[in-house]
Amino acid sequence: MNKVAEITLIFWLMKIVATTLGETLGDYLSMTLQLGYLTGIYITLFFFLILLSIQLATKRYIPVFYWLVIIATTTLGTEVSDFLDRSLNLGYTLGNIILFLGLILTLFLWYKKFKSLQVFPIIDKKKEIYYWIAILFSNSLGTAFGDYLTDVVGLSYLNGAIVTAGIILIIVLLHYLTKINTVILFWIAFIFTRPFGATFGDFLIKPISKGGLDLGTLNSTLISILLMTILLLISHKTLKVKSKINS
């Protein structure tokens, strides 16, 4: 009856690819197609709500539905972060603070209602809604933090990805070497995989003169879709094998 992905190595690999895809697809809509951040929010919010409705209606975890919602949150998160920072001119620092407070409030209300922030397994639909709201805030915050590293701190896109990868590595070590609450470590890791994917996405997109590979938003999006498709096939196959073993 579980509705969400188990936290394994392939989960984190798919999360990183999904965040990279969200960054490149979001930039493709708002920049390459020149739709603007607000129109980008309308489009991505529309698809997010449709995909979330499908996910909530399912009775069990189906990888393709689950990860389509993750991709939708990363794409919407890109538009929301850019809209706060650039269209509303709030700046990266204030934008990060607003999104961080939104995440903390969501987790607080989640904990207050269910007395736990356990992210696997999830069966209750109300808990799953909190789960997805927290993920949306996490991905938006991750995007804003990635932009903060490159545009405010002044790191190159590659160096920004290296810094966030280092933070993720520290979290992994804390998980295995300490007794720090695993739920806390999960949410920290979940947040920081987003700026890693975002800065890596920028590294693929941006021109060589700005430290990128200049692949463009469309080519980078197609590459990310291909990688995500491969990982989804692996995930579905793994789930089938586990189901046969359990039966």
Side-chain angles (χ1 to χ4, degrees), residues 43-129:
I43 293 172
T44 52
L45 178 61
F46 174 75
F47 283 102
F48 166 70
L49 292 176
I50 290 177
L51 292 168
L52 180 61
S53 298
I54 295 172
Q55 165 65 22
L56 292 175
T58 60
K59 302 299 183 182
R60 58 185 176 84
Y61 168 61
I62 300 175
V64 66
F65 293 153
Y66 174 89
W67 286 104
L68 281 174
V69 181
I70 291 288
I71 293 169
T73 62
T74 62
T75 310
L76 177 58
T78 297
E79 302 298 341
V80 169
S81 172
D82 289 342
F83 179 74
L84 291 175
D85 296 335
R86 300 167 187 173
S87 296
L88 296 183
N89 295 316
L90 297 180
Y92 295 107
T93 302
L94 183 56
N96 273 276
I97 292 173
I98 291 173
L99 293 170
F100 177 75
L101 292 177
L103 174 61
I104 294 300
L105 177 61
T106 302
L107 294 178
F108 171 76
L109 295 175
W110 179 352
Y111 184 81
K112 185 177 180 181
K113 184 172 182 62
F114 296 100
K115 308 305 177 185
S116 170
L117 294 175
Q118 183 179 353
V119 294
F120 180 87
I122 289 181
I123 300 171
D124 186 273
K125 185 173 293 187
K126 291 182 180 179
K127 183 184 290 188
E128 188 182 1
I129 291 173

Side-chain angles (χ1 to χ4, degrees), residues 24-25 27-29 31-32 205 215-222:
T24 59
L25 182 57
D27 287 346
Y28 177 75
L29 291 173
M31 298 179 184
T32 304
I205 292 170
L215 296 179
T217 55
L218 181 57
N219 289 334
S220 299
T221 298
L222 293 175

Side-chain angles (χ1 to χ4, degrees), residues 3-246:
K3 296 289 300 297
V4 300
E6 186 177 359
I7 313 305
T8 60
L9 176 59
I10 194 171
F11 172 90
W12 292 114
L13 291 175
M14 294 179 77
K15 170 63 166 58
I16 290 170
V17 175
T19 57
T20 303
L21 175 56
E23 180 71 15
T24 59
L25 182 57
D27 287 346
Y28 177 75
L29 291 173
S30 60
M31 298 179 184
T32 304
L33 296 182
Q34 298 182 341
L35 297 177
Y37 299 120
L38 185 58
T39 302
I41 287 176
Y42 290 147
I43 293 172
T44 52
L45 178 61
F46 174 75
F47 283 102
F48 166 70
L49 292 176
I50 290 177
L51 292 168
L52 180 61
S53 298
I54 295 172
Q55 165 65 22
L56 292 175
T58 60
K59 302 299 183 182
R60 58 185 176 84
Y61 168 61
I62 300 175
V64 66
F65 293 153
Y66 174 89
W67 286 104
L68 281 174
V69 181
I70 291 288
I71 293 169
T73 62
T74 62
T75 310
L76 177 58
T78 297
E79 302 298 341
V80 169
S81 172
D82 289 342
F83 179 74
L84 291 175
D85 296 335
R86 300 167 187 173
S87 296
L88 296 183
N89 295 316
L90 297 180
Y92 295 107
T93 302
L94 183 56
N96 273 276
I97 292 173
I98 291 173
L99 293 170
F100 177 75
L101 292 177
L103 174 61
I104 294 300
L105 177 61
T106 302
L107 294 178
F108 171 76
L109 295 175
W110 179 352
Y111 184 81
K112 185 177 180 181
K113 184 172 182 62
F114 296 100
K115 308 305 177 185
S116 170
L117 294 175
Q118 183 179 353
V119 294
F120 180 87
I122 289 181
I123 300 171
D124 186 273
K125 185 173 293 187
K126 291 182 180 179
K127 183 184 290 188
E128 188 182 1
I129 291 173
Y130 278 104
Y131 174 86
W132 288 113
I133 294 174
I135 283 179
L136 179 57
F137 272 115
S138 298
N139 282 326
S140 301
L141 175 60
T143 301
F145 184 74
D147 289 337
Y148 179 86
L149 289 178
T150 55
D151 292 359
V152 178
V153 178
L155 297 179
S156 68
Y157 298 112
L158 182 58
N159 286 339
I162 292 173
V163 168
T164 49
I167 294 173
I168 295 168
L169 178 60
I170 291 172
I171 296 169
V172 171
L173 293 175
L174 290 174
H175 171 72
Y176 287 105
L177 301 179
T178 71
K179 295 183 179 180
I180 297 177
N181 187 284
T182 55
V183 174
I184 294 175
L185 291 178
F186 168 83
W187 284 111
I188 295 174
F190 198 93
I191 291 170
F192 279 101
T193 51
R194 181 64 180 100
F196 176 77
T199 50
F200 187 73
D202 284 334
F203 174 64
L204 296 175
I205 292 170
K206 300 300 181 180
I208 295 174
S209 61
K210 293 186 177 181
L213 293 180
D214 199 18
L215 296 179
T217 55
L218 181 57
N219 289 334
S220 299
T221 298
L222 293 175
I223 291 171
S224 299
I225 289 174
L226 176 61
L227 291 174
M228 197 67 194
T229 301
I230 294 171
L231 291 172
L232 268 174
L233 291 174
I234 295 173
S235 181
H236 272 280
K237 186 174 182 179
T238 302
L239 187 62
K240 286 183 179 180
V241 170
K242 286 184 177 180
S243 297
K244 287 182 179 180
I245 293 174
N246 292 332

